[in-house]
Amino acid sequence: MSLRALPDDATLREVAASEGVCVRPVLQRVTDTLTGDVRTLVIPCGATLASVCPSCADRARKLRIQQCREGWHLAEDPPNPTTDEDADDRDDEDDDGQEDEQDEEPVRRVRSTRRRQDAPDLPRLPVSDRTTGRVFETSDGKTYRPSMFLTLTLPSYGRVTSEGVPVDPGSYDYRRAALDAMHFPKLIDRFWQNLRRATGYSVQYFATVEPQRRLAPHLHAAIRGAIPRALLRQVVAATYHQVWWPDITEPVYSLNRLPAWDEVNECYRDPDTGHALPTWDESLDAIDHDPDAVPAHVIRAGTQVDIQGVIAGTPQADRVIGYLTKYLTKNITDPLHTADDAEGEYVPSAARAAHIDRLAAEVKWLPCSERCANWLLYGIQPNNPRPGLEPGRCRSKAHHRDHLGLGGRRVLVSRRWTGKTLTEHRADRAAVVRAVLESAGIEMDDHDEYSATTLRPDGQPRFIWNTIRPGDTDGPSYARLIGHAIAQKHRWRTQYRHAQTRAGPDTPNLSATTTAA
């Protein structure tokens, strides 16, 4: 079909998605300051959510699949990368295997190391630098190195239906559900710390945080090495996170009566008395000096723990990797039904919409961090206050309806999972395509030669990049932009397939994509 005949941009978007082309591409004008040459390049948007760009989200998911597969069943310890945008490890632990209760301040606040009396004891071993699991030998001399697949959930907040909505919304603990979602990443950090202490080696993991049907987050994790199931359950039961914050039981102010900013003293004051609100440090000092102080919230994992042993190279391993990454392109509130498990388009019921509304209302007004503007509702100045703070308008994604409290990353990868950053994994995929094309005498069109870090002899950048927007005088229309991107995609596919044919059956191949785009 000719792009000129398409009736609107929505149809163009569908065509682009069906072709695996970015639906929001940007044009970049690259000027070579040495030669004066000017070239226009099409750059994908790089979105990770299908609601934003299905094509880019699918590429991001396939990259994660490669990362998961490459690190899961390693037989040798990978190097420790110096930098890693995915690194999820925390090194702060106190004597009971729990991370120090602290705040992001110059002065480190350390809570008591005494464990809660309602939490089981944790086994403790010296943690070695080893990252690989045990090797087992069968009676016929064969060896194998099994790994694990683990699912952690949160506790129940009330009975729910098969659709995931409360049977009795009035008794459902929405507040605890919202607080647990907000602090879920901290609980997971604690779990990995405790697990390493209990097993005695540097447990490595590739984990994803996904919503259950009830919209509570839960964790799926590929773990390198075999760990006794009883020990895993013991660590889950013994792990908790205490939130040492000022009291958040009841708001002190309302939207019609909020503290006012004092420009002279740079603080917020009571609208009636004019008294300055307690600072964040003063509020924490009061907790430190109160022998009867209790945490504002305590989060624990639920009792439902799913543990599976997985052997490398088996169909089960591939199924689990697919399951781990299945919902990475969805928002927390997106329907979990797919073409595989539901007929036709899924339409949420009014009860489910109301369930989302209740959760969204809770996370909108609860504080998400020490800098959150919502602290003004509770009579506390946020850490490092500034003018213009308004409760309900904190920019953290934890408050957004699409996230329902979960402000952390959706993919959690330990530092020594593969010894590579995600950028290096992306380069590996491009290297496979480049090798196939070069073997057929075709130069890869991936724009590396226009790197912004390339310098002229005088030390100045050689290439200057400028974004061309559809509204610019010389900017393209959306139809022209998509048409250009689809033509480029077809050209890359054709080049790659011809190169594979020339190179023969032993040519390296990418199972997830057929181009570097």
Side-chain angles (χ1 to χ4, degrees):
M1 178 187 299
S2 171
L3 287 175
R4 296 179 181 176
L6 297 173
D8 51 35
D9 287 352
T11 305
L12 280 171
R13 178 186 170 98
E14 293 178 3
V15 172
S18 66
E19 293 286 345
V21 166
C22 175
V23 303
R24 302 192 316 163
V26 294
L27 283 186
Q28 294 281 337
R29 182 185 294 111
V30 183
T31 303
D32 187 336
T33 60
L34 278 182
T35 65
D37 292 338
V38 178
R39 182 174 179 182
T40 301
L41 305 177
V42 178
I43 308 297
C45 70
T48 57
L49 292 176
S51 59
V52 178
C53 177
S55 304
C56 287
D58 187 56
R59 280 193 291 272
R61 176 178 173 272
K62 288 171 179 176
L63 183 63
R64 290 298 190 178
I65 289 174
Q66 173 186 324
Q67 183 185 33
C68 180
R69 179 179 288 113
E70 187 170 324
W72 199 359
H73 305 283
L74 293 183
E76 297 181 359
D77 296 325
N80 196 349
T82 55
T83 59
D84 190 345
E85 65 269 35
D86 283 325
D88 192 63
D89 295 336
R90 304 290 187 272
D91 297 322
D92 298 326
E93 295 179 287
D94 59 22
D95 290 342
D96 69 348
Q98 294 287 322
E99 182 182 356
D100 291 340
E101 303 288 356
Q102 59 179 308
D103 305 292
E104 296 179 1
E105 304 173 308
V107 178
R108 180 184 176 100
R109 296 178 182 270
V110 181
R111 306 294 173 188
S112 170
T113 61
R114 185 176 60 184
R115 287 186 57 78
R116 294 182 61 91
Q117 296 301 304
D118 56 359
D121 289 335
L122 272 168
R124 292 190 54 179
L125 295 173
V127 181
S128 71
D129 195 47
R130 172 176 62 88
T131 70
T132 56
R134 291 176 53 194
V135 177
F136 296 86
E137 185 174 348
T138 63
S139 56
D140 57 359
K142 294 182 179 179
T143 60
Y144 63 102
R145 191 188 301 268
S147 291
M148 310 290 290
F149 175 60
L150 173 71
T151 299
L152 296 182
T153 62
L154 285 171
S156 171
Y157 311 111
R159 291 179 57 205
V160 295
T161 67
S162 59
E163 193 185 17
V165 301
V167 173
D168 180 11
S171 63
Y172 194 82
D173 197 342
Y174 279 100
R175 184 179 181 81
R176 185 169 189 84
L179 286 169
D180 279 0
M182 283 183 161
H183 298 285
F184 187 67
K186 275 292 186 182
L187 179 71
I188 298 306
D189 287 343
R190 298 289 183 82
F191 170 73
W192 296 122
Q193 294 163 4
N194 291 342
L195 187 61
R196 285 168 176 164
R197 288 286 185 117
T199 59
Y201 78 100
S202 183
V203 177
Q204 300 297 301
Y205 56 87
F206 177 99
T208 58
V209 179
E210 306 296 348
Q212 294 178 291
R213 290 192 188 276
R214 59 176 177 153
L215 300 178
H218 66 160
L219 183 87
H220 296 305
I223 300 175
R224 186 185 306 149
I227 300 172
R229 285 171 167 78
L231 180 58
L232 269 172
R233 295 184 184 279
Q234 182 180 2
V235 173
V236 172
T239 298
Y240 60 88
H241 170 60
Q242 299 184 117
V243 183
W244 288 100
W245 277 356
D247 182 55
I248 52 175
T249 304
E250 292 291 339
V252 176
Y253 299 101
S254 66
L255 295 181
N256 297 324
R257 179 176 165 270
L258 288 173
W261 176 252
D262 179 347
E263 293 185 2
V264 176
N265 297 287
E266 297 185 340
C267 66
Y268 281 90
R269 296 184 177 275
D270 184 281
D272 299 326
T273 66
H275 294 161
L277 302 185
T279 66
W280 182 255
D281 285 344
E282 290 170 345
S283 300
L284 294 187
D285 287 342
I287 297 174
D288 290 343
H289 298 150
D290 182 0
D292 297 323
V294 295
H297 184 64
V298 179
I299 177 175
R300 294 180 171 89
T303 57
Q304 294 184 354
V305 182
D306 184 68
I307 304 170
Q308 301 177 32
V310 181
I311 305 295
T314 62
Q316 181 194 16
D318 289 335
R319 286 196 301 269
V320 168
I321 291 174
Y323 187 70
L324 262 168
T325 58
K326 183 176 182 180
Y327 297 118
L328 284 184
T329 63
K330 287 179 173 288
N331 279 314
I332 295 294
T333 55
D334 287 345
L336 299 185
H337 297 75
T338 66
D340 298 331
D341 56 17
E343 294 183 2
E345 183 178 355
Y346 171 71
V347 179
S349 68
R352 183 170 178 84
H355 181 49
I356 295 174
D357 289 342
R358 286 287 301 274
L359 282 172
E362 289 287 346
V363 301
K364 180 177 181 179
W365 302 110
L366 286 170
C368 65
S369 71
E370 71 274 10
R371 294 181 175 87
C372 183
N374 287 348
W375 279 115
L376 294 177
L377 288 176
Y378 297 90
I380 305 293
Q381 295 198 66
N383 199 16
N384 298 323
R386 63 184 187 277
L389 294 180
E390 293 184 52
R393 294 186 178 274
C394 177
R395 290 180 293 181
S396 169
K397 69 178 185 180
H399 300 290
H400 198 280
R401 182 184 174 87
D402 286 340
H403 298 279
L404 294 181
L406 193 64
R409 295 187 299 272
R410 295 283 298 276
V411 181
L412 313 175
V413 186
S414 54
R415 291 186 183 275
R416 298 179 67 187
W417 180 251
T418 60
K420 302 177 184 177
T421 66
L422 193 63
T423 299
E424 290 170 329
H425 282 289
R426 188 178 291 109
D428 288 345
R429 295 178 66 79
V432 172
V433 177
R434 184 179 288 107
V436 174
L437 294 176
E438 288 179 352
S439 66
I442 300 174
E443 182 178 355
M444 184 173 175
D445 182 13
D446 62 354
H447 317 319
D448 279 352
E449 67 272 30
Y450 299 107
S451 172
T453 60
T454 302
L455 302 179
R456 299 184 314 212
D458 61 1
Q460 296 299 312
R462 175 176 176 178
F463 300 105
I464 299 177
W465 290 65
N466 294 295
T467 302
I468 305 173
R469 306 183 186 282
D472 293 347
T473 304
D474 58 347
S477 65
Y478 186 73
R480 180 182 172 189
L481 194 62
I482 292 298
H484 186 102
I486 291 176
Q488 184 183 63
K489 183 80 169 183
H490 286 174
R491 183 174 71 255
W492 283 345
R493 282 176 177 166
T494 301
Q495 289 176 339
Y496 188 68
R497 288 169 181 167
H498 287 172
Q500 284 182 305
T501 302
R502 296 178 191 176
D506 296 331
T507 305
N509 194 10
L510 292 177
S511 59
T513 64
T514 56
T515 74

